[in-house]
Amino acid sequence: MSNPAQSSTQVRLDKWLWAARFFKTRGLAAEAIAGGKLRWNGQAPKPAREIRAGDEIEIVIGETRWTVIVRGLNEQR
């Protein structure tokens, strides 16, 4: 049986942020992306941006700042 985290090679950025529990809903993740609260590999992405393992995501929520390297992909929580 294959590992579900490795089953996809690409996942939408907003869906991954929700699945990785950075945001409570996918809609909140999309709003943060559209509001400029995230950077993907140093660029301003759109919510539908397909991400891959190895991508770097910078997330700013309030005064909290994370720099995350994507190690695996999963579409479910």
Side-chain angles (χ1 to χ4, degrees), residues 15-71:
K15 195 169 193 177
W16 184 84
L17 289 166
W18 165 78
R21 298 186 183 262
F22 285 101
F23 294 92
K24 243 181 187 178
T25 67
R26 190 169 160 188
L28 289 174
E31 284 179 27
I33 296 166
K37 305 288 186 197
L38 281 96
R39 306 288 288 171
W40 166 80
N41 292 333
Q43 302 174 356
K46 292 186 178 179
R49 163 60 72 188
E50 297 284 333
I51 63 168
R52 300 173 185 216
D55 286 349
E56 180 179 284
I57 301 171
E58 297 173 37
I59 306 166
V60 177
I61 302 173
E63 293 186 21
T64 305
R65 177 182 300 263
W66 288 292
T67 299
V68 179
I69 305 296
V70 179
R71 298 287 180 212

